Amino acid sequence: EAKSASRGRAVSYSEALRTQANERELIADRLRHAVDTGGLEVFYQPKVIPENGRIVGSEALLRWNDEVLGQVSPAKFIPIAEERGLIAPIGRFVLQRALNDTKHLHEEGLHTSVAVNVSPAQFQEETFIDETIGTVSESGVSTEKVELEITESSLMDYSDTVLDRIRPIREKGVKFAIDDFGTGYSCLSSLANMPFDTLKIDRSFIMDIATCADRRTIVELIFIMAHQLNLNTVAEGIETPLQKDYLKLWGGTLGQGFLWSPAVAFPEYRAMILAQSVGAVKTEVASALH
Ligand code: C2E
Ligand code: MG
Ligand code: MG
Ligand code: MG
């Protein structure tokens, strides 16, 4: 009896694996289709100065609404894209689109920055350096308005190649951020010499600051360290006024989160930036008249 029960478990386990493999296969097929037919979209989530709520730029985030699968999260399809060799064309598309949209804003006098996520697999291609520098310079967006985000955990896996390929791009003025900081176990002493401008504190830490003193301590140490190393900080996942106040208290450079806005389509993002610049002009005119 015990034997057949364990055999039953073994069967259902392998069935589960098969189902999972089929699902990944289906996602990979549909993704390939989306890449070929322009089915991927780029949304923008504002990055905000916590003191006054001003939007200074955004993070570009992929959105995919498939006819068959519905909305699929990038957290789900990016790893599959990496595995199936689809990340290079997808990465190219996101960078190109983000630069294009940003260029339009700049032409309207709206000088926002933009951050694009880069997967470690993209760095494996030798052409990555020249291609990235070429794309940014051809876009007409000045390099210091462009930031590339790389997760802390991927830095640990591939650190040598990745760091070597970051440096020449950064020398052109492009900024680099370590994403999801705090979730990996990077060597803190090497952080001082790393080619980065910004630490993005992972949402899981921000989530816990109201309730967990230990996690709060870690966030505070990150703020102190970033300050000492002259690194900007971006706190991810700001959802409550309390989290925002905490960010102000610790002098965090920027915040990003649902308290201000989720990622939105470009026209909506542009409208937010326009509204804020119209507001600023109104204030100027009003004070000039007084
Ligand atoms: P990430 O780079 O850490 O992006 C931040 C994620 O947190 C986004 O999820 C964003 O929608 C979400 N978020 C922002 N504020 C809040 C908040 O206040 N509350 C909550 N609950 N969530 C918030 P998203 O868009 O689902 O992306 C997930 C991950 O997928 C990204 O994490 C990034 O690692 C990856 N990804 C997205 N777009 C791209 C891309 O173009 N290229 C690459 N390589 N990866 C991408
Ligand atoms: Mg990111
Ligand atoms: Mg992140
Ligand atoms: Mg994150």
Side-chain angles (χ1 to χ4, degrees):
E1 223 182 74
K3 227 178 191 172
S4 75
S6 81
R7 198 156 47 226
R9 257 200 311 280
V11 167
S12 68
Y13 181 63
S14 73
E15 254 165 27
L17 277 182
R18 200 162 34 239
T19 313
Q20 218 173 55
N22 287 342
E23 197 204 5
R24 291 175 75 84
E25 204 57 55
L26 177 60
I27 291 177
D29 281 350
R30 297 301 305 168
L31 191 56
R32 215 167 280 127
H33 176 73
V35 169
D36 291 343
T37 59
L40 296 176
E41 287 179 282
V42 177
F43 275 36
Y44 299 92
Q45 184 176 35
K47 289 187 183 178
V48 169
I49 298 174
E51 281 77 15
N52 56 19
R54 269 193 82 77
I55 302 168
V56 295
S58 67
E59 175 174 10
L61 292 161
L62 271 168
R63 292 293 177 262
W64 177 29
N65 194 357
D66 183 65
E67 283 163 30
V68 177
L69 300 166
Q71 193 83 34
V72 187
S73 158
K76 182 146 207 177
F77 72 77
I78 291 288
I80 296 173
E82 289 171 343
E83 186 187 289
R84 303 301 170 103
L86 288 169
I87 196 66
I90 291 176
R92 256 178 237 128
F93 161 74
V94 177
L95 183 62
Q96 194 80 62
R97 174 58 54 84
L99 289 167
N100 229 9
D101 287 341
T102 303
K103 176 66 180 168
H104 282 298
L105 294 178
H106 289 191
E107 281 166 356
E108 295 183 279
L110 308 168
H111 293 281
T112 53
S113 62
V114 70
V116 174
N117 293 286
V118 179
S119 136
Q122 291 175 257
F123 283 92
Q124 300 313 106
E125 297 206 7
E126 260 170 69
T127 52
F128 182 77
I129 300 173
D130 290 341
E131 219 182 84
T132 304
I133 293 173
T135 305
V136 175
S137 70
E138 280 160 29
S139 76
V141 174
S142 64
T143 49
E144 71 270 18
K145 293 292 188 191
V146 183
E147 189 159 61
L148 300 181
E149 299 189 2
I150 297 144
T151 63
E152 185 189 24
S153 51
S154 72
L155 278 174
M156 297 182 310
D157 297 344
Y158 299 88
S159 64
D160 284 351
T161 350
V162 173
L163 293 178
D164 286 349
R165 290 183 179 171
I166 286 174
R167 285 194 178 89
I169 302 173
R170 191 164 176 261
E171 272 161 26
K172 299 289 179 188
V174 174
K175 308 285 183 231
F176 279 86
I178 305 186
D179 205 349
D180 302 346
F181 189 77
T183 58
Y185 297 87
S186 49
C187 173
L188 290 185
S189 64
S190 65
L191 209 56
N193 315 312
M194 297 253 259
F196 288 96
D197 306 278
T198 305
L199 294 183
K200 293 195 78 178
I201 303 169
D202 192 63
R203 185 165 68 85
S204 61
F205 291 95
I206 304 300
M207 236 161 58
D208 291 342
I209 55 181
T211 52
C212 179
D214 289 349
R215 303 282 280 180
R216 198 156 57 234
T217 302
I218 295 175
V219 175
E220 289 162 9
L221 290 174
I222 294 175
F223 279 128
I224 293 168
M225 183 183 65
H227 187 78
Q228 294 293 329
L229 294 174
N230 263 320
L231 292 165
N232 294 321
T233 51
V234 178
E236 295 181 331
I238 299 288
E239 294 183 352
T240 68
L242 187 138
Q243 290 166 338
K244 179 192 71 179
D245 289 341
Y246 180 84
L247 189 56
K248 281 168 32 180
L249 181 70
W250 283 88
T253 321
L254 295 174
Q256 192 182 332
F258 295 170
L259 178 68
W260 292 292
S261 173
V264 294
F266 179 67
E268 204 177 324
Y269 175 61
R270 175 177 170 271
M272 291 167 82
I273 305 281
L274 264 176
Q276 128 179 325
S277 83
V278 168
V281 170
K282 272 189 187 155
T283 312
E284 257 173 57
V285 171
S287 67
L289 291 176
H290 275 280

